[in-house]
Amino acid sequence: MDLPLGLALSVTALLMILALAAVTRRLLGVRLGVVRTFLAALLAFALAPPMLSPILDSFRGVGTGADPGIGPMWLLFLVVMCVVLIPMVILVLAEALVPPGSVPGPLEAFRSLRGRVRRGRRYSQITRIAIRHGLGPYLRGRGDRPEDRTATVRLATSLRQALDEGGVTFVKLGQVLSTRRDLLPPDFADELGRLQDQVAPAPWEQVEPVLAAELGGPVEEVFAAFDRVPLAAASIAQAYTARLHSGEDVVVKVQRPGIGTVVARDLDIVRRLAATLESRTRWGRSLGLRVLADGFAAAITEELDFRIEAANMAAVAASAGDGAVHPVTYPVPFTGLCTGRVLVMQRLSGRPVTAASPEQGPRLARDLLDCLLRQILVEGVFHADPHPGNLMMLDDGTLGLLDFGSVGRLDASVRAALQRFLFAMNRQDPLGVTDALLEVVPRPEEIDEPALERALGQFMARHLGPGMNSVQMFTDLFRIVSVHGLSVPPEVAAVFRALATLEGTLVRLSPGFDLIGEARAFADRYLAAQVAPGTVKEAVTQELTALLPTLRRLPRRVERIASAAEHGRLALSVRLLADERDRRYLTGLVHQVLLTVLGATAGLMAVLLLGVEGGPRVTSTTTLFQLIGYNLLVICAILVLRVLILVFRRPRDGGAP
């Protein structure tokens, strides 16, 4: 075979394969990958001759010695349909067994293999740590529930030690879990609260390249002075003191080299472990580990981007209002020098808040409580981690609030519900507290409201009565939420976490601090501001302005309704399937039903024709009726395959046909 003829045959074969792929996609009626469809057509083109040779042999000699009639045409149609049927079967089987996206490409597969190897080593390391601390059975879902408090404390200690040994991501995970007293028993929350992320600082030789790369030049050019001895070192970042050329003293927070890769790998492992434990263990399902892991991953990812922390710092400072109302100072970020891995902010001069004298403690505690309650209930942007390490007592005796990597945000509706919750608590109204709580958290389908109301009433009698102690108040509130199966949204959980942390900080600042009395005083001040003549007038004006268009149209609409009722023309018009998505879903469903009916009809007719005796003969063994039956059988198979591929694809398309 010469080259031109071989090239012509190759081009012809390629065109036939492309045409076969196009016809296959059209008959299946769904979007399929070009590569997948081409490979199916190529495989069908290769399989067609050996698979169809028995059919062609059975029709050998068709119309020999006589007028062939339309028999050869039906035979040709049958062969073409059989050729088209082969790639359709291949694609439907591939759709069922190997869905699109489940098999990565070569480059992606190589990268995935490298990731699997690294992840496997890390899995092995984590597993060894868990087994060494006696947690192996719990990872397999076979651990026994502790029988007494001693066993519970021992298990909680083992968990803390394992998380501490696991590294930065698992330490952060334990710290977050320690604040979720609505999910964990108190012994576990208390033990995990002991986790600290203080580590040895990274050498300056490793930190300097990060600073130079992020700031676009050597440290000596960007800063007038820079102290290379870290001011503080944590697991994610470490802080240095410096001075700008303009003279301001600043703190430079630098992310540890390579920490992003380590955290990203560990977060992937945390997600996979959470999914595995939720599917295999009862306690994992009850805690909703997958949702917890996703929320934790989102929070830690934001914490790794210092630009988000700078924006949080600016947002909290902007919402602070008049400093005379709550004298708390926030460091100002120098946004021009802030990047994803470097944060430059104003340096606050002072000392740790724990060094406050007994005379200063109550005032500082009162200022901190007033500041955080105002952030939560009024501004809607609040510091979510007010522990003593994030507080300073400045040289002028006021408070300084640091580290804005964890900031919560509340919309107006949640703030209003929290305000109603606080005011109902102030009145010790169990019914009002229950209603407000069910506005703050999603209302479950089944809930015993009287039991919840009684539990909240007992809670208020225990903690809000005269002379009662507020210690562990938020822990008890979390327990009530958990016992009654209430699901706390992440933004509300951040509020509870901040308040629980604040409770411990206030006790540390001022032992015996009257948290309830000061919170009530804040509520009275805020309520007085809300009912001031100017505030009420402004609120009424805004509401009337919003209602004015409706009020103008209301008389005419009432007149139309009354007239229609008087003359017997009042009717209710309801449009079914008004939503385009509903119409599209119903149309697709009818389409599938019709295809199924047509396929079943074609198959039934094929069976009947194949059983008919007599009729014009196409070959010595096959009649024209039987040949038509074979064609109808192929048509039946095509229609059934079209329905099947829609069925296999439906779960990934969110239920839409």
Side-chain angles (χ1 to χ4, degrees):
M1 181 183 299
D2 54 3
L3 182 60
L5 180 58
L7 184 60
L9 292 176
S10 300
V11 171
T12 303
L14 179 61
L15 292 176
M16 293 176 65
I17 293 172
L18 293 176
L20 181 59
V23 171
T24 302
R25 292 184 65 182
R26 182 62 180 171
L27 288 176
L28 286 175
V30 296
R31 289 186 176 182
L32 296 167
V34 176
V35 175
R36 175 179 288 232
T37 309
F38 178 79
L39 291 177
L42 180 63
L43 183 59
F45 191 79
L47 294 177
M51 292 182 65
L52 297 181
S53 58
I55 299 177
L56 295 176
D57 290 340
S58 65
F59 290 102
R60 193 175 301 278
V62 57
T64 304
D67 182 14
I70 62 173
M73 183 184 67
W74 281 108
L75 177 60
L76 179 61
F77 184 73
L78 176 62
V79 172
V80 172
M81 287 295 99
C82 289
V83 172
V84 173
L85 188 63
I86 297 173
M88 292 181 67
V89 173
I90 295 172
L91 287 173
V92 170
L93 291 176
E95 190 74 20
L97 302 177
V98 190
S102 60
V103 178
L107 183 59
E108 185 180 354
F110 176 72
R111 292 176 178 173
S112 176
L113 180 61
R114 293 177 55 190
R116 286 175 181 272
V117 172
R118 289 196 297 267
R119 191 164 57 243
R121 288 198 293 263
R122 183 61 170 156
Y123 267 133
S124 176
Q125 182 182 5
I126 293 171
T127 303
R128 289 197 301 271
I129 292 173
I131 293 174
R132 187 161 55 247
H133 292 281
L135 301 177
Y138 294 92
L139 292 179
R140 295 189 294 270
R142 300 174 183 173
D144 297 328
R145 182 183 295 272
E147 297 179 355
D148 52 23
R149 189 173 185 274
T150 303
T152 301
V153 172
R154 186 166 57 249
L155 179 60
T157 303
S158 299
L159 177 61
R160 175 185 60 80
Q161 293 171 347
L163 292 175
D164 198 7
E165 189 176 346
V168 51
T169 308
F170 294 93
V171 169
K172 291 290 183 183
L173 177 61
Q175 292 173 344
V176 171
L177 289 176
S178 70
T179 64
R180 295 304 302 268
R181 295 177 179 266
D182 57 324
L183 300 177
L184 293 181
D187 291 327
F188 280 84
D190 293 339
E191 186 66 32
L192 294 180
R194 298 174 55 192
L195 285 169
Q196 300 293 329
D197 58 355
Q198 298 294 328
V199 296
W204 172 251
E205 293 75 15
Q206 298 178 9
V207 175
E208 185 178 16
V210 176
L211 277 168
E214 293 293 311
L215 299 177
V219 175
E220 294 78 8
E221 294 182 3
V222 179
F223 300 99
F226 196 98
D227 188 356
R228 288 166 171 76
V229 178
L231 179 67
S235 54
I236 288 182
Q238 49 198 56
Y240 298 85
T241 58
R243 180 177 295 113
L244 299 178
H245 290 289
S246 56
E248 293 99 336
D249 289 330
V250 296
V251 173
V252 182
K253 185 177 178 181
V254 188
Q255 194 173 114
R256 282 179 172 269
I259 195 67
T261 304
V262 174
V263 171
R265 180 197 61 196
D266 284 352
L267 285 179
D268 180 53
I269 292 175
V270 167
R271 283 195 181 100
R272 293 173 183 271
L273 283 176
T276 301
L277 292 173
E278 184 172 326
S279 62
R280 295 183 180 179
T281 65
R282 187 185 302 108
W283 63 268
R285 286 189 294 273
S286 64
L287 292 179
L289 286 185
R290 191 173 307 191
V291 176
L292 282 177
D294 290 340
F296 168 71
I300 200 73
T301 302
E302 284 191 1
E303 193 173 343
L304 287 174
D305 190 346
F306 290 169
R307 291 168 297 189
I308 296 178
E309 182 173 351
N312 291 339
M313 197 181 304
V316 173
S319 65
D322 186 4
V325 177
H326 42 93
V328 177
T329 302
Y330 314 111
V332 178
F334 292 84
T335 54
L337 297 175
C338 296
T339 67
R341 294 192 293 169
V342 173
L343 175 64
V344 181
M345 55 186 161
Q346 173 191 7
R347 183 181 181 184
L348 301 181
S349 179
R351 32 185 195 146
V353 74
T354 52
S357 65
E359 294 77 16
Q360 294 172 317
R363 178 181 56 82
L364 295 176
R366 191 179 305 110
D367 290 341
L368 178 60
L369 176 63
D370 185 87
C371 172
L372 196 66
L373 288 178
R374 177 170 288 274
Q375 288 179 358
I376 292 173
L377 298 173
V378 182
E379 277 84 22
V381 182
F382 62 94
H383 195 295
D385 194 17
H387 64 76
N390 288 336
L391 296 169
M392 287 182 63
M393 187 177 68
L394 305 182
D395 293 338
D396 60 359
T398 60
L399 276 176
L401 195 54
L402 310 174
D403 193 355
F404 291 81
S406 180
V407 168
R409 288 177 170 82
L410 301 174
D411 57 42
S413 62
V414 175
R415 292 203 306 273
L418 286 173
Q419 291 168 10
R420 289 191 290 273
F421 182 79
L422 177 62
F423 295 151
M425 291 271 284
N426 188 33
R427 298 192 308 269
Q428 296 194 37
D429 177 12
L431 181 59
V433 170
T434 303
D435 292 340
L437 180 61
L438 292 178
E439 291 182 31
V440 172
V441 302
R443 180 187 291 267
E445 295 182 1
E446 296 182 3
I447 182 172
D448 189 350
E449 287 195 38
L452 176 61
E453 184 179 339
R454 288 193 299 271
L456 290 172
Q458 294 171 0
F459 165 80
M460 288 185 288
R462 184 182 307 114
H463 293 286
L464 305 184
M468 293 293 102
N469 193 351
S470 63
V471 177
Q472 299 295 318
M473 180 177 68
F474 290 105
T475 300
D476 290 346
L477 181 60
F478 289 150
R479 186 178 297 113
I480 292 173
V481 169
S482 176
V483 166
H484 288 82
L486 300 178
S487 174
V488 182
E491 63 274 12
V492 179
V495 174
F496 287 170
R497 180 181 67 192
L499 292 176
T501 306
L502 175 68
E503 184 180 18
T505 303
L506 295 177
V507 172
R508 183 95 174 266
L509 281 174
S510 177
F513 181 74
D514 186 8
L515 173 61
I516 302 304
E518 294 297 333
R520 282 175 170 167
F522 173 85
D524 293 338
R525 291 195 303 272
Y526 178 73
L527 185 59
Q530 291 293 94
V531 298
T535 305
V536 173
K537 180 181 178 181
E538 182 181 357
V540 171
T541 302
Q542 292 176 352
E543 292 295 331
L544 288 177
T545 302
L547 287 174
L548 188 58
T550 302
L551 293 175
R552 285 178 175 176
R553 292 191 295 267
L554 185 59
R556 292 196 301 272
R557 291 181 175 176
V558 172
E559 174 63 24
R560 290 173 186 170
I561 293 173
S563 176
E566 180 181 0
H567 295 87
R569 297 193 304 268
L570 185 62
L572 181 64
S573 177
V574 178
R575 292 184 58 191
L576 296 176
L577 303 176
D579 194 330
E580 173 63 27
R581 292 171 298 179
D582 294 337
R583 294 196 297 271
R584 187 166 58 248
Y585 177 81
L586 185 59
T587 301
L589 196 60
V590 172
H591 183 207
Q592 290 190 52
V593 172
L594 287 177
L595 287 178
T596 304
V597 172
L598 290 175
T601 303
L604 182 60
M605 293 177 60
V607 172
L608 293 176
L609 288 174
L610 288 174
V612 172
E613 297 291 341
R617 292 209 169 263
V618 179
T619 67
S620 58
T621 59
T622 307
T623 66
L624 181 59
F625 295 146
Q626 292 172 335
L627 183 59
I628 296 174
Y630 288 132
N631 282 279
L632 287 175
L633 204 58
V634 173
I635 293 174
C636 170
I638 292 174
L639 294 176
V640 170
L641 290 173
R642 186 179 175 114
V643 174
L644 285 177
I645 200 167
L646 290 174
V647 171
F648 290 140
R649 178 157 290 203
R650 170 179 284 187
R652 293 189 300 278
D653 291 344

